[in-house]
Amino acid sequence: MTAQIASFFDAATGTVSHIVYDRPGGHAAAVDPVLDFDFRSGRTSRASADRLLAFLAEQRLTLQWILETHAHADHLSAAPYLKRQAGGRVAIGARIVEVQAIFRRVFNLEPAFRCDGSQFDHLFQDGETFRIGELEARVIALPGHTPADVGYQIGDAVFVGDTLFMPDVGTARCDFPGGDPAELYRSIRKLLALPDDTRLLMCHDYPPAGREPAWSATVAEQRAANLHARDGVDEASFVEMRAARDKTLAMPQLLLPAVQINIRAGMPPPAEDNGVSYLKLPLDAL
């Protein structure tokens, strides 16, 4: 069955959130929803997530799943807000426990923080299958950008998270804690071994000058033209390129707040005795 997809681009973070569904009046999953965040004031807002909710209402869709491709470093997750408003189970790859353990140390999180993934409703194993109404979905482990990255193959489409970008942008960075360019290369080749007409749906786009944002390319298009990982690029060359390129990249503006929220399935840290939640800013630690 062909998956129906509606995509929503957030220009502030370059993030693409998706609603994938079986049919109008049927069932849906939200992939990588964005919670708007103003870094200067520490205020959150929900305009991006409300666009997803409006689409669900327009199409009379029941939200079954809220799917995270990984613990994002460039935006905060709106998963808890979507769940409160529309239901659904929040899910991520099972290796999130490794990412939680890494960042528990980085941020010296509170003793009660658990590195067992229990903040999420479900942890997916590689190859696990599940259903979105009449659609069958399969989980594909895609480590490299982080250990916990996964893709969701739903109908003829795969939601690839940060593993691949549009062909003229290339591939994800691997210099965050737990990243590994050799693993990323192997994950990419796993995706590019799928049938040529498989649709690959990106989580981000950073379009070159003169191109409008885009987020869908076929396997054939990626194999022919991906800037970093097209056919003919071997693993050693990719690893060398990725390591050199990553050294030139600035840290994402929202990495420190985003990771603290996203390893908690989108929830803030526990409020302190004044009723306010606080995020940490480690000095000279990264």
Side-chain angles (χ1 to χ4, degrees), residues 23-277:
R23 55 183 174 79
H27 294 81
V31 184
D32 294 330
V34 172
L35 180 71
D36 303 304
F37 178 70
D38 181 72
F39 188 82
R40 292 166 295 184
S41 67
R43 286 193 293 265
T44 61
S45 58
R46 295 158 181 81
S48 294
D50 284 340
R51 289 196 294 163
L52 307 188
L53 291 171
F55 182 82
L56 292 170
E58 289 167 6
Q59 298 295 316
R60 298 171 287 108
L61 296 169
T62 298
L63 187 62
Q64 278 188 283
W65 293 95
I66 303 164
L67 304 174
E68 302 284 8
T69 55
H70 63 295
H72 306 274
D74 35 37
H75 70 268
L76 280 62
S77 172
Y81 176 66
L82 285 187
K83 182 177 178 178
R84 288 194 302 271
Q85 297 299 314
R89 302 176 71 194
V90 182
I92 200 167
R95 291 183 67 186
I96 188 62
V97 299
E98 299 174 37
V99 178
Q100 289 176 323
I102 289 168
F103 285 103
R104 180 177 183 172
R105 295 190 297 272
V106 169
F107 293 109
N108 194 30
L109 297 180
E110 71 277 4
F113 179 79
R114 295 163 64 180
C115 298
D116 60 2
S118 58
Q119 300 84 353
F120 298 83
D121 296 317
H122 188 78
L123 301 182
F124 283 121
Q125 301 292 333
D126 184 27
E128 185 173 345
T129 60
F130 62 102
R131 299 198 69 81
I132 304 165
E134 299 173 22
L135 296 170
E136 182 171 281
R138 180 173 71 95
V139 178
I140 305 173
L142 299 172
H145 174 60
T146 80
D149 279 59
V150 296
Y152 298 103
Q153 185 173 20
I154 305 170
D156 67 334
V158 184
F159 298 86
V160 302
D162 282 12
T163 302
L164 279 170
F165 299 138
M166 291 297 291
D168 58 356
V169 178
T171 60
R173 64 195 297 167
C174 300
D175 58 335
F176 299 149
D180 185 322
E183 278 198 318
L184 180 64
Y185 180 85
R186 293 190 286 270
S187 293
I188 290 168
R189 297 319 302 180
K190 187 188 305 184
L191 289 172
L192 299 187
L194 294 169
D196 280 354
D197 60 353
T198 303
R199 294 182 288 168
L200 303 180
L201 279 295
M202 320 306 156
C203 176
H204 291 283
D205 189 37
Y206 309 104
R211 175 169 73 71
E212 291 298 310
W215 42 81
S216 179
T218 65
V219 165
E221 290 168 338
Q222 292 282 15
R223 292 183 64 173
N226 186 278
L227 186 64
H228 301 152
R230 62 190 176 277
D231 284 355
V233 176
D234 63 23
E235 181 174 323
S237 299
F238 178 84
V239 169
E240 181 180 7
M241 175 282 301
R242 194 68 265 171
R245 179 172 172 77
D246 288 351
K247 290 178 181 178
T248 72
L249 300 178
M251 184 177 291
Q253 181 180 2
L254 296 185
L255 182 145
L256 296 176
V259 169
Q260 292 178 74
I261 295 289
N262 294 338
I263 61 173
R264 302 175 188 266
M267 295 296 292
E272 299 193 8
D273 56 11
N274 63 354
V276 177
S277 294

